[in-house]
Amino acid sequence: EAGVAQSPRYKIIEKRQSVAFWCNPISGHATLYWYQQILGQGPKLLIQFQNNGVVDDSQLPKDRFSAERLKGVDSTLKIQPAKLEDSAVYLCASSLDLIQRGQSTQYFGPGTRLLVL
Amino acid sequence: RKEVEQDPGPFNVPEGATVAFNCTYSNSASQSFFWYRQDCRKEPKLLMSVYSSGNEDGRFTAQLNRASQYISLLIRDSKLSDSATYLCVVNMNYGGSQGNLIFGKGTKLSVKP
């Protein structure tokens, strides 16, 4: 079974530029998550989708970050404009159903390492 | 108080040792608890869920203490391959919502020959 796919794996941009990340979850997984992991920290949930609807985006900096999952499968996360403090690994994860409904297993993708100069 | 707190370590132990990690959480209404493992420059992977009665998986034992709001992970007979960062994850409920998944900063374990 294929895992969670993410691209690109690495990205270097200058501050104030825009960047987009793509995620393809495991087939059949209804729930998709985007996390930001800064070096030395644990992952921080940015946004959580159930199919194509947003379940939780309370920690998404909406002035510069946006995410969509229009057809309930693939998802994109965009940063516009980027700041130095956005340098981090952006992890996408998926699960069969909501963690909150007892689905304990999130499967993470390899992440996209973003460096903002 | 931080929502999920862990000792960052590093814990440096010899092969065969027993090592224990604790994690405290701030929200007493939290319902779900997990331990994830993250290898250097890799993605996190679920190690085990933590149940109220405690649970064991081979050399790994997880326990939950709701009264004191902490969870623990015990690793017996440590192997070199256990070297990784162990992340404590709590589903925090804030009154009627479905909850938010909060990760701790992780505890780094290094098992030496």
Side-chain angles (χ1 to χ4, degrees):
Chain A
E1 180 182 87
V4 177
Q6 289 189 248
S7 68
R9 293 294 307 277
Y10 304 91
K11 190 74 177 179
I12 301 174
I13 61 172
E14 294 186 349
K15 60 183 178 182
R16 291 188 289 274
Q17 285 187 320
S18 301
V19 64
F21 312 128
W22 174 81
C23 172
N24 187 13
I26 292 173
S27 178
H29 280 196
T31 312
L32 185 147
Y33 315 77
W34 282 104
Y35 290 88
Q36 179 193 59
Q37 187 172 23
I38 293 172
L39 187 65
Q41 308 277 324
K44 182 181 89 170
L45 181 68
L46 294 175
I47 189 167
Q48 180 179 346
F49 292 95
Q50 178 72 352
N51 296 309
N52 61 350
V54 176
V55 173
D56 178 10
D57 63 356
S58 57
Q59 298 191 87
L60 187 73
K62 298 180 185 64
D63 57 334
R64 298 185 300 107
F65 286 65
S66 64
E68 59 183 16
R69 195 186 183 199
L70 293 177
K71 297 183 179 178
V73 181
D74 293 6
S75 177
T76 55
L77 175 70
K78 296 179 182 177
I79 308 176
Q80 181 180 5
K83 293 186 175 181
L84 297 177
E85 59 261 35
D86 297 333
S87 295
V89 177
Y90 290 85
L91 294 161
C92 179
S94 70
S95 59
L96 274 173
D97 200 344
L98 293 170
I99 292 288
Q100 297 86 340
R101 291 180 188 164
Q103 275 294 331
S104 61
T105 306
Q106 290 181 79
Y107 295 89
F108 282 83
T112 296
R113 293 184 181 276
L114 174 67
L115 178 60
V116 182
L117 301 175
Chain B
R1 182 179 178 183
K2 292 181 181 176
E3 290 181 298
V4 177
E5 282 198 84
Q6 294 182 253
D7 181 344
F11 284 60
N12 297 309
V13 303
E15 269 187 294
T18 296
V19 61
F21 310 135
N22 284 336
C23 166
T24 58
Y25 59 94
S26 61
N27 187 344
S28 60
S30 300
Q31 295 181 348
S32 308
F33 309 89
F34 313 95
W35 283 102
Y36 275 71
R37 171 193 169 128
Q38 186 170 27
D39 291 290
C40 188
R41 299 181 72 82
K42 298 287 188 180
E43 69 273 20
K45 293 184 180 179
L46 178 67
L47 180 65
M48 57 198 305
S49 301
V50 186
Y51 303 119
S52 297
S53 55
N55 46 300
E56 188 174 305
D57 183 2
R59 298 182 293 110
F60 298 84
T61 301
Q63 291 196 314
L64 168 64
N65 184 320
R66 285 190 183 273
S68 301
Q69 293 179 212
Y70 79 81
I71 65 174
S72 63
L73 177 67
L74 182 77
I75 305 176
R76 290 181 299 277
D77 189 23
S78 300
K79 311 290 184 190
L80 295 177
S81 57
D82 294 334
S83 297
T85 295
Y86 291 83
L87 299 164
C88 171
V89 185
V90 178
N91 182 29
M92 298 270 182
N93 278 342
Y94 293 105
S97 74
Q98 297 195 66
N100 298 304
L101 295 170
I102 308 295
F103 280 71
K105 291 185 177 182
T107 298
K108 186 172 181 180
L109 172 66
S110 180
V111 182
K112 306 292 186 183

